[in-house]
Amino acid sequence: MPKQGWEEIRRIVALAGVAVALGWLFGQIFLALAILFALLFIWYFRNLIRLQRWLQKGKKYVPPLAGGLWGEVFNGIYRLQQRSRARNKRIVKLLNRFRESTAALPDGVVVLDQSGDIEWWNESAEKLLGLRYPQDVGQRLTNLIRNPDFVRYFGQPNPTERVEFESPRKEGMILTVRRVPYGNKQELVLIRDITLIRRVEDMRRDFVANISHELRTPLTVMRGFLENLAHGEVEEEERKRSLELMLQQATRMQVLVEDLMMLSRLENQETKVASEVVPVPQLLTTLREEVELLNREKQHRIHWDIDDTLYLRGNSKELDSAFMNLLVNAINYTPAGGEIHVRWYGREDGSACFEVQDNGIGIAPQHVARLTERFYRVDVARSRESGGSGLGLAIVKHILNRHNGRLEVESQVNRGTTFACVFPPEQVTHAETDDDLQSATGP
Ligand code: ADP
């Protein structure tokens, strides 16, 4: 028996002794003892009621004051309550932290109970699978997601690997799901959105296929000619024509490889472009000479309207390449004798714009959004004929991105096309001195 128990007995025995002494004095020992035990009983009963009331009132209140064993009982229960309250607080804190971290997870998590019913899920699972609280608690996942691959995967007793399927929430969203058994026959279902990874893989596959295709065509042509030259009797005229065509194909491959290298360089440079001041008017003066050479065959009328004071922060080689691509396209996709306007000017909002407008074959609206995709061509035969690699506008877009700029396209079939490179005000600067101006406009 604990110490307090003995004390209580001692106290009762002492009280009984006093009662016996008093009873003996008045010749009423039994009555005195009966009164003592009745009083004790009332006291015990009263404390019992106080305890019951206190427990009913809740944990917030301090226990009633009581002496002896009852005091110990009250305090003991109070201490227990305090301890359990502290433990509860810790558990709630832990649970909150767990909830917060699972909510921050980009992956969906669903917990299934022993019978495979949904017990709990995080926010990402809600977004990816479209689960709804509380209706879906206790449901089977396969009743909510009917995709045959998904249902088959959940039919396996021992799940291996994972399954891929389209999200019921959003068309085109590809999800991968993995079951992980844990605890007592419970399961964790992990869901991940792999749309982007699939898209990148598709792009890489398409890219390799495209390059192979681009290289195979000129190689096949060259091989044919070379075989002819090596084995057949070839007349001088034919030999000359073959060599010319081979040179054309070799040039095509060279353009392709150079464009590929340019793209790869742009993609590998993660940092934004260096912010040297580029005297764009000067750069356009040099480009103009090259363009006139390219224009000798088609004899377009090319008008240049250049703001000599407008400079840009960026990389001159990249800007040169972007502007040249647009100019070459305008020459190539405009029938001979066309009209081309080249403009370099500042807009009212402080941005700067390089614009190339032609009156050529134009582009149908359904193609416009895809023009900057690698190897995208409106008319494959025409692009090949003009020696294009199909990478030009992809390069332009990359370069503009690196200069915080954007590409605007306006086009009408058989009317012509306007490509505009727009640079934001923070990228624009102005020639400060007359020397700047002179070097920009040239002698
Ligand atoms: P390409 O090397 O084939 O010219 P680009 O990426 O430069 O590749 O252009 C993609 C496609 O956009 C071209 O194949 C062509 O169909 C179309 N295009 C580009 N510029 C023009 C233009 N000025 N007028 C009409 N079509 C154009």
Side-chain angles (χ1 to χ4, degrees):
M1 201 186 295
K3 202 172 84 202
Q4 292 87 350
W6 286 115
E7 253 173 42
E8 189 71 9
I9 289 174
R10 229 175 284 139
R11 200 178 305 138
I12 292 172
V13 171
L15 282 173
V18 173
V20 168
L22 281 175
W24 182 71
L25 261 182
F26 294 101
Q28 292 286 355
I29 294 176
F30 283 107
L31 183 65
L33 278 176
I35 290 172
L36 171 71
F37 283 111
L39 285 173
L40 274 176
F41 176 75
I42 290 170
W43 188 68
Y44 277 100
F45 195 68
R46 189 174 151 257
N47 277 334
L48 198 65
I49 287 174
R50 285 168 81 200
L51 173 66
Q52 188 265 342
R53 272 206 206 124
W54 173 57
L55 289 177
Q56 224 175 28
K57 267 203 281 187
K59 301 169 226 156
K60 267 191 245 152
Y61 297 90
V62 283
L65 278 174
L69 192 59
W70 277 104
E72 291 297 326
V73 170
F74 285 149
N75 286 338
I77 294 177
Y78 188 57
R79 268 199 305 276
L80 271 179
Q81 276 184 347
Q82 294 287 321
R83 225 179 292 156
S84 94
R85 208 182 314 168
R87 196 179 319 132
N88 276 356
K89 249 192 201 163
R90 268 204 311 277
I91 292 174
V92 168
K93 226 165 138 185
L94 204 74
L95 202 71
N96 279 343
R97 226 181 311 149
F98 172 73
R99 252 199 227 134
E100 273 166 22
S101 54
T102 49
L105 270 182
D107 292 351
V109 181
V110 179
V111 175
L112 304 184
D113 63 16
Q114 286 105 321
S115 41
D117 297 337
I118 302 174
E119 204 169 74
W120 178 89
W121 62 84
N122 70 347
E123 275 174 41
S124 295
E126 202 159 302
K127 280 187 209 127
L128 298 173
L129 297 179
L131 297 179
R132 288 156 312 157
Y133 183 82
Q135 300 96 302
D136 294 341
V137 177
Q139 294 270 10
R140 293 218 151 231
L141 254 186
T142 42
N143 284 351
L144 302 172
I145 296 154
R146 305 282 187 147
N147 180 288
D149 293 334
F150 184 82
V151 173
R152 208 171 306 126
Y153 178 65
F154 271 82
Q156 295 173 7
N158 297 312
T160 49
E161 297 296 313
R162 52 193 80 207
V163 69
E164 267 180 45
F165 68 104
E166 194 176 64
S167 164
R169 206 53 211 287
K170 198 166 151 198
E171 211 177 301
M173 184 195 264
I174 310 291
L175 302 178
T176 172
V177 166
R178 203 175 144 200
R179 292 163 62 193
V180 185
Y182 81 100
N184 182 20
K185 283 194 181 166
Q186 281 169 297
E187 256 181 38
L188 212 60
V189 181
L190 305 175
I191 308 114
R192 178 169 286 181
D193 177 2
I194 54 160
T195 319
L196 215 66
I197 301 174
R198 281 283 161 279
R199 210 176 292 157
V200 170
E201 277 173 10
D202 286 350
M203 268 168 68
R204 203 181 48 202
R205 213 172 307 127
D206 286 354
F207 190 55
V208 172
N210 275 326
I211 293 177
S212 319
H213 182 76
E214 293 292 330
L215 287 173
R216 200 180 54 193
T217 319
L219 274 174
T220 315
V221 176
M222 282 176 77
R223 200 191 146 94
F225 286 135
L226 284 170
E227 271 175 3
N228 243 358
L229 290 177
H231 306 299
E233 287 286 306
V234 185
E235 286 184 11
E236 184 54 25
E237 185 115 336
E238 169 107 28
R239 199 181 68 90
K240 229 170 118 189
R241 214 180 71 83
S242 297
L243 285 175
E244 257 168 35
L245 285 171
M246 280 199 289
L247 190 67
Q248 221 177 54
Q249 297 302 329
T251 314
R252 231 184 97 184
M253 283 197 283
Q254 194 183 356
V255 169
L256 176 67
V257 172
E258 272 166 13
D259 280 356
L260 278 173
M261 280 167 67
M262 178 78 180
L263 256 186
S264 136
R265 250 199 320 273
L266 289 171
E267 275 174 358
N268 286 334
Q269 284 162 339
E270 276 173 14
T271 48
K272 281 271 169 198
V273 74
S275 55
E276 67 185 79
V277 173
V278 181
V280 178
Q282 195 178 32
L283 183 146
L284 291 175
T285 311
T286 322
L287 272 185
R288 190 172 174 165
E289 286 163 23
E290 289 175 45
V291 167
E292 296 300 347
L293 278 178
L294 288 172
N295 187 35
R296 274 210 297 230
E297 199 181 309
K298 284 196 164 175
Q299 292 292 319
H300 299 304
R301 283 180 303 282
I302 307 182
H303 310 275
W304 300 78
D305 184 3
I306 310 296
D307 180 343
D308 292 328
T309 63
L310 205 55
Y311 286 19
L312 265 187
R313 287 181 207 286
N315 179 301
S316 60
K317 272 203 190 122
E318 290 182 13
L319 291 170
D320 183 285
S321 168
F323 296 166
M324 191 62 182
N325 265 311
L326 296 184
L327 291 163
V328 170
N329 278 352
I331 294 175
N332 283 343
Y333 299 107
T334 303
E339 196 102 21
I340 296 173
H341 288 270
V342 186
R343 298 187 189 94
W344 171 239
Y345 64 97
R347 287 185 174 174
E348 263 176 20
D349 60 0
S351 54
C353 179
F354 175 75
E355 200 173 272
V356 182
Q357 180 185 14
D358 64 50
N359 63 347
I361 59 171
I363 304 161
Q366 70 269 26
H367 297 292
V368 171
R370 301 194 58 192
L371 288 179
T372 53
E373 284 176 27
R374 296 155 174 190
F375 297 114
Y376 190 82
R377 288 144 161 150
V378 176
D379 180 338
V380 178
R382 200 193 286 255
S383 160
R384 295 242 166 88
E385 196 183 297
S386 68
S389 66
L391 294 172
L393 291 178
I395 291 176
V396 173
K397 187 184 168 196
H398 250 291
I399 294 174
L400 289 185
N401 271 348
R402 282 166 55 72
H403 286 77
N404 302 316
R406 63 175 195 277
L407 185 67
E408 291 177 356
V409 188
E410 263 180 44
S411 189
Q412 268 183 304
V413 176
N414 295 330
R415 285 278 184 86
T417 309
T418 305
F419 279 98
C421 307
V422 185
F423 300 91
E426 63 269 20
Q427 218 67 37
V428 180
T429 175
H430 292 84
E432 274 167 12
T433 61
D434 286 347
D435 287 349
D436 278 349
L437 266 176
Q438 287 213 320
S439 62
T441 47

